[in-house]
């Protein structure tokens, strides 16, 4: 069995490989898109490594306060991205012991347990899945593709809803903060009479990707568009 020190080193290396793959993929996009991607644009951020039945990796721009015993942290940087990995287990964060992960990762309760308002990403390494370089590359590349797609979508929506650009800016911020109910309210304010948007917003809980896709479809998608 690896020692706690070896496990922490493996997790920190895994996060580093995720971010390296993210930056490598981001470099294939246009500068303007890259500049709006969550990890590139965030400045220094924190990755909380939360040990429950599963290992949760939650990246946030919120401050987690000063390090206190027995909590540990390591600083990392690479490709213009700077972050800190903070290691938390039930000894540091007792609410983690209350997570019910018998049937799978409990994504919904991790953010309230940590008390953060923004989530740049939240991924899970399940028992037996390992922390391989290949898996980290897949995760980082997937995150970059998802973040770049969201950046392109919000920019397209913003360019076609004249007079409601501020709403789209708030919608983009709510997406970064992981606030699906706020996204639903803002989407309805942007597209008041669009049936597809209203249906997506009525889901419980609202699916942010479905809301964004419905908004995008309602204003003509990413293809060449002319007003009616």
């Amino acid at each position: 069995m690896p020692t706690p020190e070896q496990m922490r080193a493996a997790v920190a290396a895994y996060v580093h490989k995720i971010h390296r793959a993210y930056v490598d993929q981001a470099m294939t996009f246009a500068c303007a898109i890259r500049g709006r991607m969550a990890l590139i644009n965030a400045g220094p951020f924190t990755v909380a490594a939360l040990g429950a039945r599963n290992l949760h990796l939650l990246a946030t721009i919120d401050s987690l306060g000063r390090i206190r015993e027995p909590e540990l942290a390591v600083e990392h940087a690479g490709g213009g991205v700077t972050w800190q990995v903070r290691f938390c287990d039930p000894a540091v964060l007792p609410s983690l012991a209350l997570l019910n992960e018998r049937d799978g990762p409990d994504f919904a309760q991790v953010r309230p347990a940590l008390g953060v308002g923004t989530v740049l990403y939240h991924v899970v390494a399940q028992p037996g899945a390992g922390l391989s370089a290949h898996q980290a590359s897949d995760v980082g590349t997937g995150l970059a593709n998802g973040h770049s797609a969201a950046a392109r979508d919000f920019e397209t929506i913003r360019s076609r809803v004249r007079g409601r650009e501020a709403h789209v800016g708030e919608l983009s911020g709510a997406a970064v903060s992981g606030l699906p109910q706020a996204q639903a309210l803002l989407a309805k304010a942007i597209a008041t009479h669009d049936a597809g948007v209203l249906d997506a917003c009525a889901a419980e809980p609202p699916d942010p990707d479905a809301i964004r896709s419905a908004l995008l479809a309602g204003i003509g998608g990413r293809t060449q568009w002319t007003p009616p």
Side-chain angles (χ1 to χ4, degrees), residues 166-201:
H167 287 70
V168 180
E170 291 182 23
L171 177 61
S172 177
V176 172
S177 298
L179 302 173
Q181 297 291 350
Q183 291 175 71
L185 291 173
L186 287 162
K188 287 191 286 188
I190 294 167
T192 310
H193 303 295
D194 188 291
V197 173
L198 295 178
D199 286 345
C201 294

Side-chain angles (χ1 to χ4, degrees), residues 12-28 39-40 45 76-81 83 121 132-134 136-141 143-144:
Y14 182 71
V15 172
H16 192 283
K17 290 166 187 171
I18 288 174
H19 294 167
R20 185 173 64 189
Y22 185 102
V23 171
D24 288 347
Q25 185 69 5
M27 294 303 294
T28 68
L39 299 193
I40 304 295
F45 59 92
H76 279 272
V81 178
W83 67 94
Y121 68 76
S132 69
H134 177 76
S137 178
D138 286 347
V139 171
T141 301
L143 286 172

